[in-house]
Amino acid sequence: MKKYLITSREFYTDTPAIFRTILYEQFTKHSPDYALYRDKTNPNYNIQAAHFVEICKEFKEIKSFIHRDVKLAKETGASGVHLTSTQSDEIEYAKELGLEVIISTHTIDEVLTAEQKGADMVTYSPIFASPNKGEPKGVEELETLLDICKIKVFALGGIISHEQIELIKNTKAYGFASIRYFY
């Protein structure tokens, strides 16, 4: 099962030297397969994104993704872009630039739309209770989705324990994504 580490300013800070150190430590400790630079408030987002991609490249097995910004993902040499659920119209453009595309989804219809438009993967959330993310879908709904779609699905939302990861491992999910688990 694949692991997808998502950064958050709350845990990873926006000071470049500290960010790089924390990221390096977490990559070494958890060995994620995918990593996303996501920071909605950093005034130096582009600079930090470049640091992020640089660190990911030191870990050759980690694919790097930039949140929301297709052009920045291409400019930094990231593996791909992670689009929000409202950006499905940008999937084709990102693919034309040679980027892998992960898109956030919260409904089965959004997953099927992302699949039809050519996204490579989706995150589906929230599976478990997560702050300010609404009612959790649960593992049963995740299993229902996985029986319907063919796209690779990362379970996301409220994943903080090994027990939750084991529940996801027992499904056909491609992997799990988390912020708090990796910090």
Side-chain angles (χ1 to χ4, degrees), residues 28-43:
T28 301
K29 179 180 179 182
H30 294 288
S31 301
D33 303 284
Y34 297 80
L36 171 63
Y37 178 59
R38 178 180 174 271
D39 184 340
K40 297 177 181 179
T41 59
N42 187 342

Side-chain angles (χ1 to χ4, degrees), residues 90-161:
E90 295 184 46
I91 293 171
E92 186 179 336
Y93 173 58
K95 298 297 289 176
E96 286 171 2
L97 293 178
L99 296 169
E100 288 187 61
V101 176
I102 299 174
I103 188 165
S104 296
T105 62
H106 311 330
T107 67
I108 291 173
D109 285 342
E110 287 177 349
V111 173
L112 297 176
T113 297
E115 183 175 68
Q116 185 224 1
K117 289 187 174 191
D120 298 289
M121 294 159 268
V122 299
T123 57
Y124 186 64
S125 69
I127 301 303
F128 302 105
S130 189
N132 306 313
K133 298 297 182 185
E135 188 68 30
K137 300 187 180 315
V139 174
E140 285 182 16
E141 185 171 317
L142 174 64
E143 288 176 320
T144 299
L145 168 69
L146 295 168
D147 285 339
I148 296 170
C149 70
K150 293 183 177 108
I151 195 168
K152 295 173 182 173
V153 176
F154 285 104
L156 171 66
I159 300 167
I160 56 174
S161 72

Side-chain angles (χ1 to χ4, degrees), residues 24-113:
Y24 192 89
E25 289 170 356
Q26 296 308 313
F27 283 179
T28 301
K29 179 180 179 182
H30 294 288
S31 301
D33 303 284
Y34 297 80
L36 171 63
Y37 178 59
R38 178 180 174 271
D39 184 340
K40 297 177 181 179
T41 59
N42 187 342
N44 299 309
Y45 187 84
N46 294 7
I47 294 167
Q48 195 79 314
H51 285 287
F52 172 81
V53 172
E54 215 174 277
I55 293 291
C56 288
K57 287 182 179 180
E58 289 183 33
F59 292 81
K60 297 188 185 336
E61 68 280 358
I62 298 176
K63 291 188 175 193
S64 58
F65 286 75
I66 301 297
H67 191 238
R68 296 187 304 200
D69 193 328
V70 175
K71 289 180 183 173
L72 182 61
K74 183 66 177 174
E75 289 168 10
T76 59
S79 306
V81 64
H82 185 129
L83 301 172
T84 68
S85 59
T86 62
Q87 291 181 287
S88 65
D89 290 343
E90 295 184 46
I91 293 171
E92 186 179 336
Y93 173 58
K95 298 297 289 176
E96 286 171 2
L97 293 178
L99 296 169
E100 288 187 61
V101 176
I102 299 174
I103 188 165
S104 296
T105 62
H106 311 330
T107 67
I108 291 173
D109 285 342
E110 287 177 349
V111 173
L112 297 176
T113 297

